[in-house]
Amino acid sequence: MLAVVFAVMLQQAATGQVVWETPTPGEPMEGATPVEIPAIPDSARVDPYGYERAECSPLIRKGDESMEACQQRVRGALAANMGAALPAGLTPVGAADNCRQEAAGDRYALQCGAPSRADRPAAVLEERVCDTRPRVQPQGGVAWTEDCRPAGGRRNDDDGLRIRLGGRD
């Protein structure tokens, strides 16, 4: 494929069809339109979070515009108008920030955004059923004790009276 492209370029160079032009510094290029920065009110500069909430409210945004599209549009306008004064929480999605080298030996491996965290093992909590019962104390009086067991219905081996008959339980 690359060889075909070079062959076509060489054929055009032989016939004199390839012309390189350098644009003059003062003229804008044809087809290039200046990018217009959307205007935001002064209240958006004071409270950019409130401005985003107000603009992307389901009561105000267009019916065919999703929440994510609205946030992207508003955050882009805020970033264009506020520049470095934009809070970090409102940076548009896809903006490169906090970039650092990922691997020490590879200078091209970059990690941008928040650093990834290793997954912590989830602590599995066992559901328990607890019974509160009164017990008589030797000195007199009553003390309340709480006996807990797993909710699955199985009891600990230490609970209850056991009699061994023939070496088995």
Side-chain angles (χ1 to χ4, degrees):
M1 178 74 177
L2 192 58
V4 172
V5 172
F6 283 127
V8 170
M9 288 177 55
L10 288 174
Q11 286 177 351
Q12 289 178 352
T15 60
Q17 293 178 0
V18 177
V19 178
W20 295 97
E21 294 180 4
T22 55
T24 58
E27 296 178 22
M29 293 177 47
E30 290 181 27
T33 58
V35 177
E36 191 172 308
I37 297 175
I40 60 172
D42 291 335
S43 62
R45 296 179 202 287
V46 175
D47 184 16
Y49 289 102
Y51 178 70
E52 180 191 33
R53 281 191 307 271
E55 286 291 313
C56 295
S57 168
L59 300 172
I60 300 210
R61 74 171 187 261
K62 297 176 185 174
D64 60 343
E65 186 179 32
S66 69
M67 175 67 103
E68 291 80 18
C70 179
Q71 285 179 335
Q72 189 67 16
R73 176 180 54 82
V74 170
R75 289 178 181 185
L78 285 169
N81 282 290
M82 294 180 68
L86 183 71
L90 289 175
T91 55
V93 175
D97 61 339
N98 299 329
C99 291
R100 64 199 169 285
Q101 216 170 9
E102 181 67 25
D106 188 6
R107 66 180 189 177
Y108 297 111
L110 289 179
Q111 172 70 34
C112 294
S116 60
R117 295 183 181 179
D119 291 335
R120 292 185 289 173
V124 178
L125 298 177
E126 187 175 357
E127 190 173 338
R128 301 182 327 163
V129 175
C130 296
D131 297 324
T132 306
R133 296 185 179 146
R135 296 216 178 174
V136 177
Q137 293 188 344
Q139 300 90 7
V142 177
W144 292 90
T145 60
E146 185 175 53
D147 296 326
C148 295
R149 65 183 180 281
R154 62 181 174 87
R155 290 185 165 268
N156 292 338
D157 292 339
D158 298 339
D159 291 348
L161 176 67
R162 295 198 296 166
I163 301 173
R164 292 184 180 228
L165 298 173
R168 291 180 274 174
D169 290 341

